[in-house]
Amino acid sequence: METNTRIILICSGKGGVGKTTLTANLGIALARQGVCTAVLDADFGLRNLDLLLGLENRIVYTAQEVLEETCRLDQALVKHKQEPNLSLMPAGNPRMLDWLKPKDMQRIVDMLSEKFDYVLIDCPAGVEDGFRNAVAASKEAIVVTNPEVSAVRDADRVIGLLNTHGVKPVQLVLNRVRPKMIASQEMLSVDDVTDILALPLLGLVIEDEQVIVSTNRGEPLTLTGGNSPAARCYSNIARRLQGEEIPLIDPSKQGSGVRDKLKRLMQTKIF
Amino acid sequence: MTLRDIIFKLLGRQKTSASTARERLQLVLAHDRCDLSPELLDQMRREILDVVAKYVEIDIEEGAVSLETEDRMTALVANLPIKRSLVTTSSDNDETAS
Ligand SMILES: Nc1ncnc2c1ncn2[C@@H]1O[C@H](COP(=O)(O)OP(=O)(O)OP(=O)(O)O)[C@@H](O)[C@H]1O
Ligand SMILES: [Mg+2]
């Protein structure tokens, strides 16, 4: 059944670049904007989305029981207490990987599409079966990467695969950006990465200690409406997803002091 | 290359790591995207040179065949300085092709 539900895969190729953190924060931010959102943990091997959302103790059933038809969809869905517009579909037992097929993923996403406006799929790292299962059920994608050579290279590989699977639009989120390092040209800049990957930039997320603090608590930064740099970045990304036009801030173009201007001058590409 | 890189160069300092990263990525992605190993590229280069050498005399030393990539499009770029043409008629061509 075709619905207008936006089914968005959050993937990266390389592990540990910030997919799950983005999924949790976007899920909460969208829910706060009043849209009915489901986050699906497709990382059956190493599930973590429940933990980042602080929902680990409230899981009764998982995607596994839904697929085996031993429970109904709404029995497995875990509704977030503070943001009831958000529900988590938890990943099943890692042994599910032995039999899980793309069509199983599609089935569960179809069920979610009937109830939600957004389905965000937290993809496992890699480009193997876990990725293939998840991509088969997705309509659009967000590729998360860091300004580092290995993460960018792996992102490029994933973008190629998304193109062959006909997933679009594919947008980029550049995570763990350190403005100071970019200014001293010891980190790839935002423009460098978007140029190399030739993808539209949905947003960037500043490297921020508060991300770790919020993970410790199981309360995504967007939940408290806090004002840390990363919190602002995540909610801007959610608003852009909703079609709002929020100007992108290029950290390397920030600042109006003489020092900042000089730094920018030094970054001018000559050839 | 940025202004800072040029100043660094004049001072004999190392290039910034961001510009090294940029260059390395561009090269590795050109290869990744067309799934061509350096060995295959080298073999292709030799075969291309062989074919071209049937028609024109080229400066093998100066010749270069490389992959370049921009906007997710990869191009095979051959830069082969021609010294002079070897072929005047098509029958000539048959002989050299034997
Ligand atoms: N903007 C940020 N600033 C600081 N730390 C961050 C940021 N984004 C992510 N992290 C940290 O990076 C680590 C990896 O994040 P996360 O688990 O979201 O990555 P992932 O892509 O889902 O990993 P995996 O591939 O293992 O599923 C976590 O410890 C997280 O706290
Ligand atoms: Mg993860």
Side-chain angles (χ1 to χ4, degrees):
Chain A
M1 200 191 76
E2 274 294 301
T3 59
N4 286 330
T5 304
R6 291 186 66 181
I7 305 165
I8 309 177
L9 182 69
I10 298 180
C11 57
S12 67
K14 187 172 155 62
V17 299
K19 296 176 290 298
T20 308
T21 313
L22 178 67
T23 311
N25 278 287
L26 273 188
I28 295 278
L30 287 168
R32 281 171 68 97
Q33 288 174 36
V35 278
C36 229
T37 306
V39 286
L40 166 61
D41 192 348
D43 198 346
F44 295 94
L46 300 162
R47 58 187 219 188
N48 274 325
L49 189 54
D50 53 349
L51 208 53
L52 263 58
L53 287 165
L55 298 175
E56 69 277 16
N57 293 325
R58 299 196 24 224
I59 296 174
V60 184
Y61 297 109
T62 69
Q64 180 173 357
E65 287 79 27
V66 175
L67 284 169
E68 290 169 350
E69 297 181 5
T70 51
C71 83
R72 292 189 317 272
L73 184 78
D74 51 297
Q75 287 178 298
L77 283 169
V78 186
K79 202 177 260 192
H80 198 279
K81 276 219 179 76
Q82 284 139 283
E83 289 301 334
N85 280 330
L86 179 76
S87 295
L88 164 74
M89 173 55 69
N93 191 292
R95 276 194 303 273
M96 264 181 97
L97 290 172
D98 298 340
W99 54 265
L100 196 76
K101 289 275 174 315
K103 66 172 192 335
D104 299 315
M105 235 17 210
Q106 227 143 18
R107 247 178 77 210
I108 213 136
V109 170
D110 280 349
M111 285 189 252
L112 292 170
S113 309
E114 286 177 28
K115 298 187 61 150
F116 295 93
D117 303 321
Y118 274 81
V119 177
L120 306 180
I121 307 178
D122 182 20
C123 189
V127 290
E128 293 79 26
D129 289 348
F131 171 76
R132 272 168 218 286
N133 289 339
V135 80
S138 310
K139 283 193 210 151
E140 42 184 309
I142 297 175
V143 174
V144 187
T145 193
N146 300 154
E148 287 177 52
V149 284
S150 54
V152 173
R153 183 194 199 176
D154 293 354
D156 191 75
R157 179 98 164 63
V158 162
I159 294 163
L161 293 171
L162 291 169
N163 288 343
T164 44
H165 279 88
V167 175
K168 67 179 170 207
V170 178
Q171 304 183 82
L172 186 72
V173 166
L174 187 58
N175 188 26
R176 310 197 75 152
V177 170
R178 296 170 184 234
K180 281 210 182 97
M181 286 191 76
I182 292 181
S184 59
Q185 293 183 50
E186 302 300 350
M187 179 172 265
L188 288 166
S189 72
V190 181
D191 284 349
D192 285 341
V193 180
T194 51
D195 283 354
I196 290 171
L197 295 176
L199 274 195
L201 184 67
L202 180 61
L204 50 91
V205 185
I206 304 286
E207 169 87 26
D208 184 351
E209 288 176 358
Q210 289 304 313
V211 171
I212 297 172
V213 175
S214 75
T215 315
N216 290 342
R217 300 209 166 104
E219 293 169 1
L221 285 174
T222 46
L223 185 62
T224 43
N227 214 17
S228 85
R232 276 199 305 266
C233 295
Y234 285 125
S235 52
N236 280 347
I237 291 171
R239 289 166 65 185
R240 276 186 212 112
L241 260 187
Q242 285 274 73
E244 265 185 75
E245 292 211 6
I246 307 200
L248 277 162
I249 310 159
D250 187 336
S252 59
K253 298 191 179 117
Q254 286 289 294
S256 52
V258 180
R259 268 182 79 121
D260 297 306
K261 283 192 179 142
L262 185 64
K263 270 186 178 161
R264 278 204 292 283
L265 180 66
M266 298 293 274
Q267 283 183 72
T268 320
K269 285 206 180 101
I270 312 288
F271 54 82
Chain B
M1 195 172 266
T2 61
L3 191 53
R4 179 193 291 252
D5 287 328
I6 290 173
I7 295 172
F8 272 27
K9 211 168 204 161
L10 293 176
L11 297 173
R13 296 236 322 248
Q14 238 189 343
K15 239 192 328 209
T16 62
S17 71
S19 77
T20 311
R22 210 158 38 226
E23 284 160 23
R24 291 177 63 217
L25 268 170
Q26 257 143 6
L27 201 64
V28 77
L29 290 186
H31 286 262
D32 284 359
R33 282 173 186 170
C34 65
D35 222 352
L36 210 58
S37 66
E39 297 87 68
L40 271 178
L41 183 65
D42 198 52
Q43 185 181 341
M44 185 163 73
R45 179 192 350 258
R46 268 180 278 123
E47 285 177 23
I48 289 173
L49 288 178
D50 285 348
V51 171
V52 176
K54 280 195 250 174
Y55 299 88
V56 288
E57 191 180 322
I58 47 176
D59 190 339
I60 303 265
E61 294 298 296
E62 291 292 306
V65 177
S66 64
L67 291 173
E68 285 175 16
T69 178
E70 195 170 311
D71 272 359
R72 308 201 66 76
M73 288 279 287
T74 303
L76 181 73
V77 182
N79 185 350
L80 309 170
I82 297 173
K83 283 185 179 159
R84 64 189 174 91
S85 169
L86 293 174
V87 191
T88 43
T89 63
S90 59
S91 59
D92 252 19
N93 174 22
D94 289 344
E95 284 163 32
T96 41
S98 65

